[in-house]
């Protein structure tokens, strides 16, 4: 136990919440610890009582009561999660505050459990993402098992509802990167095929395969749901492969995968929708390349933009490519920084 400390806020540390300032200096403190010490008057700002949400200012003096020495994380924080899995999922965190956690989900890890998905999934690992808070964070949306990239979690039901509403009303911007067979023509456009589930069960625990229905025929298929994907060709290699930016205007199961396959340009490594054949004779896209590229799915949730439900600030996050896609980019001499982060806005007038 250390004694009472009087700490002056520096210019670098000013203009932030008291609880964040404390956690930065004393990582062993949980949110519950801080709120209790504030309620009992043990933590004070300039001699006055303080709340966890109060903002500290440069030059102010913070009274900090005796604290326990920093120790290894409490076991209950990762109850039911192995140390290796806890370390893995914590390393996936791109950003967090007291309301939201942003992950870069690795490929091969399901978002949630389900038929064929096994016991190891993001939702089951959220015990390791509490970071001192009482409740486990909640998934706001999901990604297919083999799709990597941005995944949002909310710390409270209130924030989960707000983010879900933003997604439902299309107030967020999600952009995916993919490698596809051939080169779409035109190089920029929208795919508006309706989607419906095929009968029977799909392989790999990802549910049924989706069938694309032309809008003119949709009236004959009551289960077909209106779907739209905007696409932009960022780079291409002859007529064989293209680096695509994909924006799902709607959010149907397997939407990007089914839509790209329907227009004849399946995503590289997508065996379910025709992108697993590296020697696709229809386009000749794999000739001379297939042996050098990974056969894993090349679909990555690259970025997401949304208004923070509490601060109302515009937030934008980008997720680095997974290792197998980095190797593909290196093999094709593509550079992540050579393309606009939002080509739909840069060239589409949004």
């Amino acid at each position: 136990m250390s004694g009472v400390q009087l700490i002056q806020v520096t210019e670098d540390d000013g203009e932030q919440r008291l609880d964040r300032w404390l956690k930065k200096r004393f990582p062993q403190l949980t949110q519950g610890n801080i709120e209790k010490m504030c309620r009992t008057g043990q933590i004070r700002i300039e001699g006055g009582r303080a709340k966890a949400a109060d903002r500290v200012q440069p030059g102010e003096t913070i009274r900090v009561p005796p604290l326990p020495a920093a120790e290894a994380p409490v076991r209950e924080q990762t109850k039911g999660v192995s140390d290796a899995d806890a370390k893995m999922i914590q390393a996936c965190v791109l950003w967090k505050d007291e309301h939201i956690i942003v992950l870069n989900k690795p490929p091969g890890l399901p978002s949630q459990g389900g038929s064929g998905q096994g016991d190891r999934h993001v939702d089951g690992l959220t015990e390791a993402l509490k970071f001192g808070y009482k409740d486990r964070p909640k998934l706001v949306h999901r990604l297919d098992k083999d799709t990597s990239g941005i995944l949002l979690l909310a710390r409270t039901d209130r924030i989960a509802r707000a983010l879900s509403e933003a997604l439902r009303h299309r107030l967020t911007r999600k952009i995916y990167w993919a490698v596809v067979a051939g080169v779409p023509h035109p190089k920029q456009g929208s795919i508006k095929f309706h989607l419906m589930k095929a009968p029977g069960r799909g392989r790999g625990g990802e549910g049924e395969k989706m069938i694309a229905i032309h809008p003119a025929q949709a009236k004959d298929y009551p289960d077909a749901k209106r779907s739209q994907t905007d696409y932009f060709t960022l780079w291409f290699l002859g007529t064989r492969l293209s680096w695509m930016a994909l924006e799902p205007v709607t959010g149907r199961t397997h939407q990007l995968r089914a839509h790209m396959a329907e227009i004849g340009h399946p995503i590289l490594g997508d065996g379910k929708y025709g992108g697993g054949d590296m020697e696709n004779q229809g386009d000749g896209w794999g000739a001379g390349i297939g042996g050098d590229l990974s056969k894993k799915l090349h679909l990555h949730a690259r970025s997401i933009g949304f208004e923070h439900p509490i601060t109302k600030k515009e937030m934008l996050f980008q997720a680095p490519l997974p290792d197998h896609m980095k190797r593909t980019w290196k093999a094709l001499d593509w550079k992540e920084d050579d393309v606009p982060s939002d080509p739909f806005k840069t060239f589409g007038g949004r």
Side-chain angles (χ1 to χ4, degrees):
M1 298 283 285
S2 59
V4 172
Q5 302 178 66
L6 297 176
I7 305 174
Q8 190 172 60
V9 181
T10 66
E11 288 289 340
D12 292 338
D13 289 336
E15 296 293 338
Q16 64 178 299
R17 284 174 56 118
L18 174 61
D19 50 5
R20 291 188 198 172
W21 181 85
L22 286 164
K23 287 178 183 178
K24 184 176 179 181
R25 282 182 166 270
F26 307 104
Q28 71 269 35
L29 290 179
T30 67
Q31 187 71 17
N33 294 151
I34 294 170
E35 291 179 358
K36 181 178 180 180
M37 288 188 288
C38 287
R39 285 197 307 270
T40 55
Q42 297 179 72
I43 294 176
R44 292 177 175 264
I45 299 177
E46 290 293 303
R49 296 178 76 94
K51 296 180 180 179
D54 288 346
R55 292 194 169 274
V56 298
Q57 305 293 331
E60 289 181 334
T61 298
I62 313 298
R63 179 194 184 276
V64 180
L67 301 176
E71 298 176 354
V74 179
R75 277 287 171 186
E76 286 74 15
Q77 184 174 333
T78 56
K79 183 178 178 181
V81 180
S82 71
D83 290 342
D85 278 346
K87 184 176 180 181
M88 179 277 296
I89 199 66
Q90 289 170 1
C92 294
V93 175
L94 294 175
W95 181 87
K96 60 183 171 66
D97 66 3
E98 62 269 36
H99 306 291
I100 299 168
I101 297 174
V102 182
L103 292 184
N104 182 12
K105 187 188 82 66
L109 181 67
S111 298
Q112 293 177 298
S115 176
Q117 298 287 36
D119 297 327
R120 187 171 178 267
H121 45 79
V122 174
D123 192 44
L125 299 177
T126 51
E127 277 287 340
L129 297 174
K130 290 162 66 173
F131 298 113
Y133 285 75
K134 179 181 177 181
D135 298 321
R136 295 190 301 129
K138 303 158 182 64
L139 285 171
V140 175
H141 60 114
R142 63 181 293 275
L143 296 174
D144 289 343
K145 175 182 176 181
D146 293 320
T147 302
S148 58
I150 295 283
L151 196 61
L152 293 183
L153 293 88
R155 291 195 186 275
T156 65
D157 290 336
R158 175 191 173 196
I159 299 301
R161 286 193 296 270
L163 291 173
S164 295
E165 283 295 305
L167 288 164
R168 186 175 300 113
H169 294 292
R170 304 171 194 167
L171 301 177
T172 62
R173 292 289 309 284
K174 291 191 291 183
I175 295 176
Y176 290 69
W177 279 359
V179 179
V180 305
V183 182
H185 181 76
K187 293 186 175 65
Q188 178 182 0
S190 294
I191 307 167
K192 297 181 180 180
F193 284 90
H194 288 49
L195 294 173
M196 61 179 285
K197 289 183 178 180
R201 299 298 302 173
R203 294 177 299 168
E206 295 183 10
E208 296 85 349
K209 183 176 179 179
M210 304 303 288
I211 298 175
I213 305 295
H214 193 281
Q217 300 174 316
K219 64 181 182 298
D220 299 325
Y221 298 89
D223 293 334
K225 296 182 179 180
R226 188 183 67 82
S227 307
Q228 180 178 338
T229 298
D230 292 347
Y231 69 88
F232 192 101
T233 307
L234 295 168
W235 211 261
F236 54 91
L237 181 67
T239 59
R240 297 172 180 171
L241 296 171
S242 295
W243 170 7
M244 306 298 299
L246 306 174
E247 182 178 4
V249 178
T250 54
R252 311 302 182 196
T253 300
H254 297 182
Q255 177 178 311
L256 304 182
R257 299 162 61 185
H259 270 172
M260 294 310 298
E262 184 62 24
I263 66 170
H265 303 284
I267 296 173
L268 181 63
D270 191 355
K272 184 181 288 286
Y273 290 95
D277 185 357
M278 303 290 274
E279 301 296 332
N280 185 316
Q281 298 301 312
D283 293 309
W285 62 285
I289 299 175
D292 298 327
L293 304 185
S294 170
K295 294 186 179 181
K296 292 182 179 180
L297 182 67
H298 283 59
L299 179 61
H300 178 67
R302 171 63 173 179
S303 66
I304 191 168
F306 60 93
E307 181 183 85
H308 194 291
I310 301 301
T311 67
K312 303 305 178 183
K313 291 183 178 179
E314 290 297 324
M315 314 295 291
L316 177 63
F317 299 99
Q318 291 186 331
L321 290 170
D323 288 342
H324 73 281
M325 291 181 70
K326 285 181 180 177
R327 292 193 294 272
T328 295
W329 260 240
K330 183 176 181 181
L332 302 179
D333 197 27
W334 289 344
K335 304 291 191 301
E336 294 182 43
D337 295 335
D338 284 350
V339 299
S341 59
D342 188 345
F344 302 100
K345 183 176 182 180
T346 303
F347 300 110
R350 294 184 184 176

